[in-house]
Amino acid sequence: MKIIDILEPTAVLDDLLGSTPAKVLSAICGPLAERTGLDRREMVEALLSRERLGSTALGGGVAVPHAKMLGLRGVIAGLGRSRVGIRFKSPDGQPIRVFLALFAPENARGEHLQALAHVSRLFERRNLCHRLLNAKDSAEIYELLAAEDAR
């Protein structure tokens, strides 16, 4: 699996303006809801429900909120960058500045876990978050992710 298999350029937001997890996740879910026809509020609630079980923040300014949804045919992702950072119960206490939200079909067990593992490994790479934060726009963010994933 490659990031470009689940993340479309139109689902990359380079300047999240929300100041709370719910607002940030709502912004990220917007393009995904348009693409899939799913209800944005239901998508946000699914992510927040998962967060209540335990934080999906990886540390280092990155979080990978994820949920399963009825009505999906495959795994999809949306990425948002916050220039100021959002408090998100990160294990290292740092504000989250890069959010990669993953959604999988309700019955997709292996595909969901594979996507989570792949994204987690991708964000373990040195300096990736720093480069994403310094990208000039959403197109450059997408290109950086695609290039890093191709390595």
Side-chain angles (χ1 to χ4, degrees), residues 116-133:
L116 279 171
H118 182 75
V119 168
S120 295
R121 283 191 305 272
L122 187 64
F123 280 106
E124 285 176 351
R125 296 186 184 165
R126 192 168 174 229
N127 295 323
L128 176 59
C129 186
H130 177 74
R131 288 183 288 150
L132 294 175
L133 292 173

Side-chain angles (χ1 to χ4, degrees), residues 38-90:
L38 295 174
D39 183 88
R40 179 196 290 208
R41 289 177 303 233
E42 289 178 14
M43 296 175 82
V44 173
E45 184 49 43
L47 293 174
L48 292 173
S49 179
R50 169 56 188 85
E51 281 307 308
R52 287 190 282 276
L53 297 175
S55 179
T56 57
L58 302 178
V62 177
V64 185
H66 54 277
K68 292 184 177 181
M69 299 287 299
L70 287 171
L72 284 178
R73 296 178 190 256
V75 175
I76 60 170
L79 185 137
R81 173 179 67 181
S82 170
R83 295 184 188 274
V84 296
I86 306 297
R87 290 182 25 198
F88 205 75
K89 297 182 183 176
S90 180

Side-chain angles (χ1 to χ4, degrees), residues 86-151:
I86 306 297
R87 290 182 25 198
F88 205 75
K89 297 182 183 176
S90 180
D92 61 7
Q94 291 184 30
I96 300 302
R97 297 180 65 195
V98 176
F99 293 84
L100 193 136
L102 286 172
F103 289 94
E106 186 65 39
N107 60 355
R109 178 171 237 120
E111 192 179 12
H112 181 229
L113 295 176
Q114 181 185 16
L116 279 171
H118 182 75
V119 168
S120 295
R121 283 191 305 272
L122 187 64
F123 280 106
E124 285 176 351
R125 296 186 184 165
R126 192 168 174 229
N127 295 323
L128 176 59
C129 186
H130 177 74
R131 288 183 288 150
L132 294 175
L133 292 173
N134 289 308
K136 67 180 178 199
D137 57 21
S138 58
E140 187 176 339
I141 290 171
Y142 185 83
E143 290 170 14
L144 282 167
L145 280 171
E148 188 67 30
D149 204 21
R151 290 183 346 139

